[in-house]
Amino acid sequence: MSQQPETLRETGGEQRSTTTETDERVCPECDASLVVDESHGETVCEACGLVVEADGIDHGPEWRAFDSSERAEKSRVGAPTTKLLHDDGLSSVIDWQDRDAKGRTIDGSKRRKLQRLRTWDERFRSKSAQERNLKQALGEIDRMSSALGLPETVRETASVVYRRALEDDLLRGRSIEAMATASLYAAARQASVPRSLDEFEPVSRVDRKEFSRAYRYIVRELGLAIEPANPLEYLPRFASDLDLDGDTTTRARALLEEGMESGVHSGKSPVGLAAAALYAASILEGDKVTQKEVCSVSDVSEVTVRNRYTELLEAGTDPDAARGAA
């Protein structure tokens, strides 16, 4: 079939080229040539205009795009790339299930062959020492993210931070686990979904001192822009864990904001301040929350909560808070 260009037709905000193709068949009425209009899904006669076929199948994409960036995002040519995998998700993976396409169990000889193929596939996916290092680190980041309930955006940021550290040769003399934990902690801080060092300690495979030192090293060497942790960022999570109502959370936020204006937060743990603000607000609002319950969700000591509680009430301008501090 020969193609004949037509005009550009605007469809759904996107300009599509509506080409026509000359069909080898002839019109049943006048024996003239037939033309296939792909944009309308019709086959018509060139001479008399008889519509021979209608509702043709459109083999193009079912989505619409309004610019080149949207077109690139929606185009489906294989799985999307991701920084969560050491090879960006571009390699193939042989399924671990020893079943054929119909779900039937395969025989022993084919199982052994598949196992050998899996072994070689795994070796080829991480050929160099750097790739094996990255693969192990990204596995650690994924494991800790799941344990801490961090979103996928934080995982991707952590993988990018670790890749930068690996490219700059910052891992020499440091454990993979420590640098992976430090990368995830930095990513959580950057995304404003912070987790305290106390929360990282039970899920990390190294002790707190080691990954804290690795965190400071990564921030310094990579020049990461990380602001000091804000106690207000911990409030929603702690309030949700304690099942506090909106009034109590709002009161805690007001106490924290007044305390921060007075400089109470200087040199203090943001986790302890958030916990103390919720405890103080629960008392002022009449909620039955004990210090022990607050400490269990925030992972701070009761002494810290009592000390920060008094400081916040003394710094506030609320008359009820002033009477509570007295």
Side-chain angles (χ1 to χ4, degrees):
M1 286 189 274
S2 60
Q3 289 191 351
Q4 299 175 349
E6 262 193 5
T7 58
L8 291 176
R9 188 181 300 275
E10 192 166 335
T11 305
E14 178 195 24
Q15 284 193 333
R16 295 181 53 181
S17 178
T18 59
T19 59
T20 59
E21 296 182 355
T22 303
D23 199 311
E24 295 178 354
R25 296 172 297 172
V26 294
C27 176
E29 296 290 337
C30 63
D31 294 332
S33 300
L34 299 178
V35 175
V36 179
D37 187 351
E38 293 183 347
S39 63
H40 295 85
E42 297 175 346
T43 302
V44 299
C45 175
E46 256 184 338
C48 65
L50 175 68
V51 178
V52 179
E53 291 180 0
D55 299 327
I57 298 174
D58 184 4
H59 296 281
E62 82 285 0
W63 43 262
R64 296 185 303 171
F66 298 92
D67 53 39
S68 58
S69 61
E70 283 191 15
R71 192 174 297 108
E73 288 178 2
K74 294 182 179 181
S75 178
R76 293 188 295 272
V77 187
T81 58
T82 174
K83 293 297 182 182
L84 298 177
L85 299 175
H86 72 283
D87 54 6
D88 292 343
L90 298 176
S91 64
S92 60
V93 179
I94 300 177
D95 191 13
W96 60 271
Q97 294 183 348
D98 294 324
R99 296 181 180 275
D100 61 13
K102 295 183 179 180
R104 296 174 299 195
T105 305
I106 60 177
D107 57 41
S109 62
K110 289 184 179 178
R111 279 202 302 270
R112 290 189 292 271
K113 182 179 180 180
L114 274 176
Q115 186 57 43
R116 290 193 297 270
L117 287 173
R118 288 191 192 100
T119 302
W120 281 106
D121 180 64
E122 193 68 21
R123 290 174 181 173
F124 281 120
R125 288 181 66 198
S126 51
K127 292 177 285 187
S128 65
Q130 189 176 33
E131 288 182 349
R132 288 192 293 271
N133 181 310
L134 185 59
K135 182 180 178 183
Q136 180 181 346
L138 295 182
E140 280 293 297
I141 289 173
D142 186 63
R143 180 187 64 80
M144 289 185 291
S145 298
S146 298
L148 293 169
L150 294 173
E152 187 173 333
T153 53
V154 175
R155 303 184 192 192
E156 289 203 8
T157 303
S159 66
V160 171
V161 171
Y162 189 89
R163 287 172 189 269
R164 287 184 57 192
L166 188 61
E167 291 171 0
D168 292 353
D169 198 23
L170 301 182
L171 273 71
R172 192 179 301 276
R174 292 172 175 81
S175 69
I176 296 174
E177 291 80 6
M179 297 295 280
T181 307
S183 300
L184 185 60
Y185 180 67
R189 291 279 298 272
Q190 284 184 320
S192 297
V193 284
R195 298 293 185 270
S196 65
L197 293 174
D198 293 328
E199 292 175 281
F200 269 87
E201 193 169 7
V203 300
S204 177
R205 299 187 191 275
V206 294
D207 59 31
R208 175 172 175 166
K209 184 178 180 181
E210 186 175 354
F211 69 72
S212 298
R213 189 186 303 117
Y215 165 72
R216 292 191 295 270
Y217 178 67
I218 281 181
V219 172
R220 183 177 67 252
E221 294 298 323
L222 296 182
L224 299 179
I226 298 179
E227 297 180 356
N230 191 335
L232 295 171
E233 295 173 352
Y234 292 90
L235 277 183
R237 182 160 58 92
F238 291 167
S240 176
D241 292 341
L242 291 168
D243 197 22
L244 297 175
D245 57 26
D247 293 338
T248 303
T249 306
T250 303
R251 191 75 171 266
R253 182 177 294 275
L255 288 173
L256 265 181
E257 290 174 348
E258 290 179 356
M260 292 169 67
E261 288 177 1
S262 302
V264 172
H265 66 296
S266 179
K268 306 294 192 310
S269 167
V271 181
L273 282 170
L278 285 173
Y279 176 65
S282 67
I283 293 176
L284 296 174
E285 291 293 327
D287 285 341
K288 302 296 183 182
V289 178
T290 64
Q291 290 184 16
K292 187 176 182 180
E293 291 173 330
V294 174
C295 294
S296 65
V297 300
S298 60
D299 202 16
V300 297
S301 67
E302 294 184 19
V303 176
T304 300
V305 171
R306 285 195 294 270
N307 291 339
R308 300 293 90 80
Y309 159 78
T310 305
E311 293 170 358
L312 284 173
L313 293 183
E314 290 176 348
T317 57
D318 191 328
D320 293 336
R323 284 195 294 270

